[in-house]
Amino acid sequence: MRTSRHNSPQVNAGSMADIAFLLLIFFLVTTTISMDKGINRKLPKPCPPNTECSEPINERNILRIVLNSKDEIFIEDELVTLPELKDIAKSFLDNNGDDSCTYCNGKGLSFLSDNPKKAVISLQNDKLTSYNFYISVQDELTKAYYELREVYTKDVLGKTAITVTDEDIAAVKKAYPFILSEAVTK
């Protein structure tokens, strides 16, 4: 009997690295990367040591917003809806209660803020408030500030969002400072 030597079949592995590389590129290109959700805020500068940095705030200049565990919004112990929040915040901020604001369009009501520079929005939430609801509330408050700033840019500066300079942006932020407190107010 004659034995034949058979060469065992071999797999050409030369192109395996190329295929693996192409698959890697394919998955990198087609995979979507989820964006982190969060709030983009610039924190205030810390108070220097041995210095008293808190100043008394007039009660009418604080808009107290409380979020409970059922994702409900209470402003001054009154239930409001999420769509109403932006308009309430705008009315509070742009009130001109002390007639010192030359650019405000508010009605000067005695129970709302003195002016935008003194107005503080106090936001408190329950530990069981859902994160998405909390972000939605933050978004509505941010929209209120942005809309007031946009009106100021158009009416006072006479510019559009495209034509503003860095100095204009600083002036707008000074006119409507974003003062949001998440600390428990007294």
Coordinates of all heavy atoms in Angstrom, one line a residue, residues 93-162:
L93 N -38.5 88.4 36.3 CA -37.2 89.0 36.0 C -37.3 90.4 35.4 O -36.6 91.3 35.8 CB -36.4 88.1 35.1 CG -36.0 86.7 35.6 CD1 -35.5 85.8 34.5 CD2 -34.9 86.9 36.7
D94 N -38.3 90.6 34.6 CA -38.3 91.8 33.8 C -39.4 92.8 34.4 O -39.8 93.7 33.7 CB -38.7 91.5 32.3 CG -38.3 92.5 31.3 OD1 -37.2 93.1 31.6 OD2 -39.0 92.7 30.3
N95 N -39.6 92.7 35.7 CA -40.7 93.5 36.3 C -40.4 94.9 36.4 O -41.3 95.8 36.1 CB -41.0 92.9 37.7 CG -42.1 93.6 38.4 OD1 -43.2 93.8 37.8 ND2 -41.9 94.0 39.6
N96 N -39.3 95.3 36.8 CA -38.9 96.8 37.1 C -39.8 97.3 38.2 O -40.4 98.4 38.1 CB -39.1 97.6 35.8 CG -38.4 98.9 35.9 OD1 -37.5 99.1 36.7 ND2 -38.8 99.9 35.1
G97 N -39.8 96.6 39.3 CA -40.6 97.1 40.4 C -40.1 98.3 41.1 O -40.8 99.0 41.8
D98 N -38.8 98.7 41.0 CA -38.3 99.9 41.6 C -38.0 101.0 40.6 O -37.4 102.0 41.0 CB -37.0 99.5 42.4 CG -35.9 99.0 41.6 OD1 -36.0 98.9 40.3 OD2 -34.8 98.8 42.1
D99 N -38.5 100.9 39.4 CA -38.3 101.9 38.3 C -36.9 102.3 38.1 O -36.6 103.3 37.6 CB -39.2 103.1 38.7 CG -40.6 102.9 38.6 OD1 -41.0 102.0 37.7 OD2 -41.4 103.5 39.3
S100 N -35.9 101.4 38.4 CA -34.5 101.7 38.1 C -34.0 101.1 36.8 O -33.0 101.4 36.3 CB -33.6 101.2 39.2 OG -33.7 99.8 39.3
C101 N -34.8 100.3 36.2 CA -34.4 99.6 35.0 C -35.0 100.4 33.8 O -36.2 100.4 33.6 CB -35.0 98.2 35.0 SG -34.5 97.2 33.6
T102 N -34.1 100.9 32.9 CA -34.6 101.7 31.8 C -34.9 100.8 30.6 O -35.6 101.3 29.7 CB -33.5 102.7 31.4 OG1 -32.3 102.0 31.1 CG2 -33.2 103.7 32.5
Y103 N -34.5 99.6 30.6 CA -34.7 98.7 29.4 C -35.8 97.6 29.7 O -36.1 96.9 28.8 CB -33.4 98.0 29.0 CG -32.7 97.4 30.2 CD1 -33.0 96.1 30.5 CD2 -31.7 98.0 30.9 CE1 -32.3 95.4 31.6 CE2 -31.0 97.4 31.9 CZ -31.4 96.1 32.3 OH -30.7 95.5 33.3
C104 N -36.3 97.6 30.9 CA -37.3 96.5 31.3 C -38.6 96.8 30.7 O -39.0 98.0 30.5 CB -37.4 96.4 32.8 SG -35.9 95.8 33.6
N105 N -39.3 95.8 30.4 CA -40.7 95.9 29.8 C -41.8 95.4 30.7 O -42.9 95.2 30.3 CB -40.8 95.1 28.5 CG -39.8 95.6 27.5 OD1 -39.7 96.8 27.2 ND2 -39.0 94.7 26.8
G106 N -41.4 95.3 32.0 CA -42.4 94.8 33.0 C -43.4 95.8 33.4 O -43.3 97.0 33.1
K107 N -44.3 95.3 34.2 CA -45.4 96.2 34.7 C -45.2 96.9 36.0 O -46.0 97.7 36.4 CB -46.7 95.3 34.8 CG -47.1 94.7 33.4 CD -48.3 93.8 33.6 CE -48.6 93.2 32.2 NZ -49.5 92.1 32.3
G108 N -44.0 96.6 36.6 CA -43.7 97.3 37.9 C -44.6 96.8 39.0 O -44.9 97.6 39.9
L109 N -45.0 95.6 39.1 CA -45.9 95.0 40.1 C -45.1 94.9 41.4 O -43.9 94.6 41.5 CB -46.4 93.7 39.7 CG -47.2 93.7 38.4 CD1 -47.6 92.2 38.0 CD2 -48.5 94.5 38.5
S110 N -45.8 95.2 42.5 CA -45.1 95.3 43.8 C -44.8 93.9 44.4 O -44.0 93.8 45.3 CB -46.1 96.0 44.8 OG -47.3 95.3 45.0
F111 N -45.3 92.8 43.9 CA -45.0 91.5 44.4 C -44.0 90.8 43.6 O -43.7 89.6 43.9 CB -46.3 90.7 44.6 CG -47.1 90.6 43.3 CD1 -46.8 89.5 42.4 CD2 -48.1 91.5 43.0 CE1 -47.6 89.4 41.2 CE2 -48.8 91.4 41.8 CZ -48.5 90.3 40.9
L112 N -43.5 91.4 42.5 CA -42.4 90.8 41.7 C -41.1 91.5 41.9 O -41.0 92.5 42.7 CB -42.8 90.8 40.2 CG -44.0 90.0 39.9 CD1 -44.4 90.1 38.4 CD2 -43.9 88.5 40.2
S113 N -40.0 91.1 41.3 CA -38.7 91.6 41.5 C -38.5 93.1 41.3 O -39.3 93.7 40.5 CB -37.7 90.9 40.7 OG -37.7 91.3 39.4
D114 N -37.5 93.7 41.9 CA -37.2 95.1 41.7 C -36.7 95.3 40.3 O -37.1 96.2 39.6 CB -36.2 95.6 42.8 CG -36.7 95.6 44.2 OD1 -37.9 95.9 44.3 OD2 -35.9 95.5 45.1
N115 N -35.7 94.5 39.9 CA -35.1 94.6 38.6 C -34.3 93.4 38.3 O -34.1 92.6 39.2 CB -34.3 95.9 38.4 CG -33.1 95.9 39.3 OD1 -32.2 95.0 39.3 ND2 -33.0 97.0 40.1
P116 N -33.9 93.1 37.1 CA -33.3 91.8 36.7 C -31.9 91.6 37.5 O -31.5 90.5 37.7 CB -33.0 92.0 35.2 CG -33.9 93.0 34.7 CD -34.2 93.9 35.9
K117 N -31.3 92.7 37.8 CA -30.0 92.6 38.5 C -30.1 92.1 40.0 O -29.2 91.6 40.5 CB -29.2 93.9 38.5 CG -28.8 94.3 37.0 CD -28.1 95.6 37.0 CE -27.8 95.9 35.6 NZ -27.2 97.3 35.4
K118 N -31.3 92.3 40.5 CA -31.5 91.9 41.9 C -32.3 90.6 42.0 O -32.4 90.0 43.1 CB -32.3 93.0 42.7 CG -31.4 94.3 42.9 CD -32.2 95.3 43.6 CE -31.5 96.6 43.8 NZ -32.3 97.6 44.5
A119 N -32.9 90.2 40.9 CA -33.8 89.0 40.9 C -33.0 87.7 41.1 O -32.0 87.5 40.4 CB -34.6 89.0 39.6
V120 N -33.5 86.9 42.0 CA -32.9 85.5 42.2 C -33.9 84.5 42.0 O -35.0 84.6 42.6 CB -32.3 85.5 43.6 CG1 -31.7 84.1 43.9 CG2 -31.2 86.5 43.8
I121 N -33.6 83.5 41.2 CA -34.5 82.3 41.1 C -34.0 81.2 42.0 O -32.9 80.8 41.8 CB -34.7 81.9 39.7 CG1 -35.3 83.0 38.8 CG2 -35.5 80.6 39.6 CD1 -35.5 82.7 37.4
S122 N -34.8 80.8 43.0 CA -34.4 79.8 43.9 C -35.1 78.5 43.5 O -36.3 78.4 43.5 CB -34.8 80.2 45.3 OG -34.6 79.1 46.2
L123 N -34.3 77.5 43.1 CA -34.8 76.2 42.6 C -34.4 75.1 43.6 O -33.3 74.9 43.9 CB -34.2 75.9 41.2 CG -34.6 74.6 40.6 CD1 -36.1 74.6 40.4 CD2 -33.9 74.4 39.3
Q124 N -35.5 74.5 44.2 CA -35.3 73.4 45.1 C -36.0 72.2 44.6 O -37.1 72.3 44.0 CB -35.8 73.8 46.5 CG -35.1 75.0 47.1 CD -35.8 75.4 48.4 OE1 -36.4 74.6 49.1 NE2 -35.6 76.7 48.7
N125 N -35.4 71.0 44.8 CA -36.0 69.8 44.3 C -35.9 68.8 45.4 O -35.1 68.8 46.2 CB -35.3 69.3 43.0 CG -33.9 69.0 43.2 OD1 -33.1 69.8 43.5 ND2 -33.5 67.7 43.0
D126 N -36.9 67.8 45.3 CA -37.0 66.7 46.1 C -35.9 65.7 45.7 O -35.6 65.7 44.5 CB -38.4 66.1 46.1 CG -38.6 65.0 47.1 OD1 -39.0 65.3 48.2 OD2 -38.4 63.8 46.7
K127 N -35.4 64.8 46.6 CA -34.4 63.9 46.1 C -35.0 62.8 45.2 O -34.3 62.1 44.5 CB -33.8 63.2 47.4 CG -34.8 62.4 48.2 CD -34.0 61.8 49.4 CE -35.0 61.1 50.4 NZ -34.3 60.6 51.5
L128 N -36.3 62.7 45.1 CA -37.0 61.8 44.2 C -37.5 62.4 42.9 O -38.1 61.8 42.1 CB -38.1 61.0 44.9 CG -37.7 60.2 46.1 CD1 -38.9 59.6 46.7 CD2 -36.7 59.1 45.7
T129 N -37.2 63.7 42.7 CA -37.5 64.3 41.4 C -36.7 63.7 40.3 O -35.5 63.4 40.5 CB -37.2 65.8 41.5 OG1 -37.9 66.4 42.6 CG2 -37.6 66.5 40.2
S130 N -37.4 63.4 39.2 CA -36.7 62.7 38.1 C -35.7 63.7 37.5 O -35.9 64.9 37.4 CB -37.7 62.2 37.1 OG -38.2 63.2 36.3
Y131 N -34.6 63.1 37.0 CA -33.5 63.9 36.4 C -34.0 64.6 35.1 O -33.7 65.8 34.9 CB -32.3 63.0 36.1 CG -31.1 63.8 35.5 CD1 -30.4 64.6 36.4 CD2 -30.8 63.6 34.2 CE1 -29.3 65.3 35.9 CE2 -29.7 64.3 33.7 CZ -29.0 65.1 34.5 OH -27.9 65.8 34.0
N132 N -34.8 63.9 34.3 CA -35.3 64.5 33.1 C -36.2 65.7 33.3 O -36.2 66.7 32.6 CB -36.0 63.4 32.2 CG -35.0 62.4 31.6 OD1 -33.9 62.8 31.4 ND2 -35.5 61.2 31.3
F133 N -37.0 65.6 34.4 CA -37.9 66.7 34.7 C -37.1 67.9 35.2 O -37.4 69.0 34.9 CB -38.9 66.2 35.8 CG -40.0 67.3 36.1 CD1 -40.9 67.6 35.1 CD2 -39.9 67.9 37.3 CE1 -41.9 68.6 35.4 CE2 -40.9 68.9 37.6 CZ -41.8 69.2 36.6
Y134 N -36.1 67.6 36.0 CA -35.2 68.6 36.5 C -34.5 69.4 35.4 O -34.5 70.6 35.4 CB -34.2 68.0 37.5 CG -33.2 69.0 38.0 CD1 -33.6 69.9 39.1 CD2 -31.9 69.1 37.5 CE1 -32.7 70.8 39.6 CE2 -31.0 70.0 38.0 CZ -31.4 70.8 39.1 OH -30.5 71.7 39.5
I135 N -34.1 68.6 34.4 CA -33.4 69.2 33.2 C -34.4 70.1 32.5 O -34.1 71.1 32.0 CB -32.8 68.1 32.4 CG1 -31.6 67.4 33.1 CG2 -32.3 68.7 31.1 CD1 -30.5 68.3 33.5
S136 N -35.7 69.6 32.3 CA -36.7 70.3 31.6 C -37.0 71.6 32.3 O -37.2 72.7 31.6 CB -38.0 69.5 31.5 OG -37.8 68.3 30.8
V137 N -37.0 71.7 33.6 CA -37.2 72.9 34.4 C -36.1 73.8 34.1 O -36.2 75.0 33.9 CB -37.5 72.6 35.9 CG1 -37.4 73.9 36.7 CG2 -38.8 71.9 36.1
Q138 N -34.9 73.3 34.2 CA -33.7 74.1 34.0 C -33.7 74.7 32.6 O -33.4 75.9 32.4 CB -32.4 73.3 34.1 CG -32.1 73.0 35.6 CD -31.2 74.1 36.2 OE1 -30.9 75.1 35.6 NE2 -30.9 73.9 37.5
D139 N -34.1 73.9 31.6 CA -34.2 74.4 30.2 C -35.2 75.6 30.1 O -35.0 76.5 29.4 CB -34.6 73.3 29.3 CG -33.5 72.3 29.0 OD1 -32.3 72.6 29.3 OD2 -33.8 71.2 28.5
E140 N -36.4 75.4 30.7 CA -37.4 76.5 30.7 C -36.9 77.8 31.3 O -37.1 78.9 30.8 CB -38.7 76.1 31.3 CG -39.4 75.0 30.6 CD -39.8 75.4 29.2 OE1 -40.4 76.5 29.0 OE2 -39.6 74.6 28.3
L141 N -36.1 77.7 32.4 CA -35.6 78.9 33.0 C -34.5 79.5 32.1 O -34.4 80.7 32.0 CB -35.0 78.5 34.4 CG -36.0 78.1 35.4 CD1 -35.3 77.6 36.7 CD2 -37.0 79.2 35.7
T142 N -33.7 78.7 31.5 CA -32.7 79.2 30.6 C -33.3 79.9 29.4 O -32.9 80.9 28.9 CB -31.8 78.0 30.1 OG1 -31.2 77.4 31.3 CG2 -30.7 78.5 29.2
K143 N -34.4 79.3 28.9 CA -35.1 79.9 27.8 C -35.7 81.3 28.2 O -35.6 82.3 27.3 CB -36.3 79.1 27.3 CG -36.0 77.9 26.5 CD -37.2 77.1 26.2 CE -37.0 75.7 25.8 NZ -38.2 74.9 25.6
A144 N -36.1 81.5 29.4 CA -36.6 82.8 29.8 C -35.5 83.8 29.8 O -35.7 84.9 29.3 CB -37.2 82.6 31.3
Y145 N -34.4 83.4 30.3 CA -33.2 84.4 30.3 C -32.8 84.7 28.8 O -32.5 85.8 28.5 CB -32.0 83.8 31.1 CG -32.1 84.1 32.5 CD1 -32.5 83.1 33.4 CD2 -31.7 85.3 33.0 CE1 -32.6 83.3 34.8 CE2 -31.7 85.6 34.4 CZ -32.2 84.6 35.3 OH -32.2 84.8 36.6
Y146 N -32.7 83.7 28.0 CA -32.3 83.9 26.6 C -33.3 84.8 25.9 O -32.8 85.6 25.1 CB -32.1 82.6 25.9 CG -30.8 81.9 26.2 CD1 -30.5 80.6 25.7 CD2 -29.8 82.4 27.1 CE1 -29.3 80.0 26.0 CE2 -28.7 81.8 27.4 CZ -28.4 80.6 26.9 OH -27.2 79.9 27.2
E147 N -34.6 84.6 26.1 CA -35.5 85.4 25.4 C -35.4 86.9 25.9 O -35.5 87.8 25.1 CB -36.9 84.9 25.6 CG -37.2 83.6 24.8 CD -38.6 83.1 24.9 OE1 -39.5 83.8 25.5 OE2 -38.8 81.9 24.5
L148 N -35.3 87.1 27.2 CA -35.1 88.5 27.7 C -33.8 89.1 27.1 O -33.8 90.3 26.7 CB -35.1 88.5 29.2 CG -36.4 88.2 29.9 CD1 -36.2 88.0 31.4 CD2 -37.4 89.3 29.6
R149 N -32.8 88.3 27.1 CA -31.5 88.8 26.5 C -31.6 89.1 25.0 O -31.0 90.1 24.5 CB -30.4 87.8 26.8 CG -30.0 87.7 28.2 CD -28.9 86.6 28.5 NE -28.5 86.7 29.8 CZ -27.6 85.8 30.3 NH1 -27.1 84.8 29.5 NH2 -27.2 85.9 31.6
E150 N -32.4 88.3 24.3 CA -32.6 88.6 22.9 C -33.3 89.9 22.6 O -33.0 90.7 21.8 CB -33.3 87.4 22.3 CG -33.5 87.5 20.8 CD -34.3 86.3 20.2 OE1 -34.9 85.6 20.9 OE2 -34.2 86.2 18.9
V151 N -34.4 90.1 23.4 CA -35.1 91.4 23.3 C -34.2 92.5 23.6 O -34.2 93.6 23.0 CB -36.4 91.3 24.3 CG1 -37.0 92.7 24.4 CG2 -37.4 90.3 23.8
Y152 N -33.4 92.4 24.7 CA -32.4 93.5 25.0 C -31.5 93.8 23.9 O -31.2 94.9 23.5 CB -31.7 93.1 26.3 CG -30.7 94.1 26.7 CD1 -31.0 95.2 27.6 CD2 -29.3 94.0 26.4 CE1 -30.1 96.1 28.0 CE2 -28.4 95.0 26.8 CZ -28.8 96.0 27.6 OH -27.9 97.0 28.0
T153 N -31.0 92.7 23.3 CA -30.0 92.9 22.2 C -30.7 93.6 21.0 O -30.1 94.5 20.4 CB -29.5 91.5 21.7 OG1 -28.9 90.8 22.8 CG2 -28.5 91.6 20.6
K154 N -31.9 93.3 20.7 CA -32.6 93.9 19.6 C -33.0 95.3 19.9 O -32.8 96.3 19.2 CB -33.9 93.1 19.2 CG -33.7 92.2 18.0 CD -35.1 91.7 17.5 CE -35.4 90.4 18.2 NZ -36.7 89.9 17.8
D155 N -33.7 95.5 21.1 CA -34.3 96.8 21.4 C -33.3 97.8 21.9 O -33.3 99.0 21.5 CB -35.4 96.7 22.4 CG -36.6 95.9 21.9 OD1 -36.6 95.6 20.7 OD2 -37.4 95.5 22.7
V156 N -32.4 97.4 22.7 CA -31.4 98.4 23.3 C -30.2 98.5 22.5 O -29.7 99.7 22.2 CB -31.1 98.0 24.8 CG1 -30.0 98.9 25.4 CG2 -32.3 97.9 25.7
L157 N -29.6 97.4 22.1 CA -28.3 97.5 21.3 C -28.6 97.6 19.8 O -27.7 98.0 19.1 CB -27.5 96.2 21.6 CG -27.1 96.0 23.0 CD1 -26.3 94.7 23.1 CD2 -26.3 97.1 23.6
G158 N -29.8 97.3 19.4 CA -30.1 97.4 17.9 C -29.4 96.5 17.1 O -29.0 96.8 15.9
K159 N -29.1 95.3 17.6 CA -28.3 94.3 16.9 C -29.0 93.0 16.8 O -30.0 92.7 17.6 CB -26.9 94.1 17.5 CG -26.1 95.4 17.5 CD -24.7 95.1 18.0 CE -23.8 96.4 17.8 NZ -22.5 96.2 18.2
T160 N -28.5 92.1 16.0 CA -29.0 90.7 15.9 C -28.0 89.8 16.6 O -26.9 90.2 16.9 CB -29.3 90.3 14.5 OG1 -28.0 90.3 13.8 CG2 -30.3 91.2 13.8
A161 N -28.4 88.6 16.7 CA -27.5 87.6 17.4 C -26.2 87.4 16.5 O -25.2 87.1 17.1 CB -28.2 86.3 17.6
I162 N -26.3 87.6 15.3 CA -25.1 87.4 14.4 C -24.1 88.6 14.5 O -22.9 88.4 14.4 CB -25.6 87.3 12.9 CG1 -26.5 86.0 12.8 CG2 -24.4 87.2 12.0 CD1 -27.2 85.9 11.5

